[in-house]
């Protein structure tokens, strides 16, 4: 229980996965994962196989998570997730800087992050990189990497105003 795997489509972590040794053959993804009493506990989603076959470790989305997704599909016709509207550097790049957090690379002009005063990474007049804000905390939760950022966002509601701590230069600032 409570396993985490990256989405094959977006790379965004999928949380609260159920790890199973039940075979997930081609075409079984989306099928039910049942417990020994026949109760639905999850939806089969992915398999990790070193050999590239259907034998390996399977993962299912828990029925609790599925319930929230179904409610959104019924209400909005799609899954609605909170976002702050940034693109960010890979975790390894930030680690090379000797800091932890999420380095803001860019954001669109209508981004909630831009409206809050977040700064993007730019270049100076000589072409040198000028680092943007590094997100270090969101809603009082430490943000050390992209997974932490996604985890913090998943605790938020769409449209909610939140406190975000950033490292700008050598000083920490709070944005909202």
């Amino acid at each position: 229980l409570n396993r985490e795997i990256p989405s094959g489509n977006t790379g965004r972590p999928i949380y609260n996965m159920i790890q199973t040794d039940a075979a997930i053959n081609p075409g079984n993804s989306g099928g039910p994962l049942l417990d020994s009493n026949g109760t639905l506990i999850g939806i089969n989603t992915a398999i990790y196989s070193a050999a590239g076959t259907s034998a390996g470790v399977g993962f299912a989305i828990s029925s609790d998570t599925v319930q929230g997704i179904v409610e959104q599909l019924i209400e909005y016709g799609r899954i609605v997730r909170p976002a702050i509207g940034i693109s960010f550097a890979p975790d390894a790049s930030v680690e090379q800087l000797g800091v932890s957090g999420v380095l803001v690379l860019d954001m669109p002009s209508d981004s909630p992050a831009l409206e809050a005063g977040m700064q993007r990474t730019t270049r100076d007049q000589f072409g040198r990189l000028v680092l943007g804000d590094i997100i270090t905390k969101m809603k009082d939760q430490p943000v050390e990497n992209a997974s932490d950022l996604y985890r913090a966002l998943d605790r938020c509601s769409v449209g909610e105003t939140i406190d975000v701590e950033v490292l700008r230069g050598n000083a920490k600032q709070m944005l909202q």
Side-chain angles (χ1 to χ4, degrees), residues 18 20 22-25 27-35 38-45 59-63 66:
I18 300 168
T20 178
I24 301 179
N25 298 308
N28 285 4
S29 184
L33 178 66
L34 308 173
D35 67 10
T39 305
L40 175 71
I41 60 171
I43 303 294
N44 293 318
T45 303
F59 295 94
I61 298 174
S62 73
S63 56
V66 170

Side-chain angles (χ1 to χ4, degrees), residues 10 15 23 39 48 50 53 73 77 89 92 103 105-106 114 129 134 136 138 142 145 155-156 165 171:
T10 65
Y15 306 105
T39 305
Y48 172 76
T53 64
L73 289 173
L103 172 61
L105 293 178
D106 201 7
L114 187 63
L129 206 58
I134 298 173
T136 56
M138 182 178 288
N145 53 43
R155 291 188 195 108
C156 300
E165 181 184 86

Side-chain angles (χ1 to χ4, degrees), residues 99-100 103 131-137 165-173:
V99 296
S100 63
L103 172 61
L131 297 180
D133 288 339
I134 298 173
I135 299 170
T136 56
K137 194 179 281 189
E165 181 184 86
V166 299
L167 179 62
R168 183 175 294 164
N170 292 325
K172 291 192 176 184
Q173 292 190 5

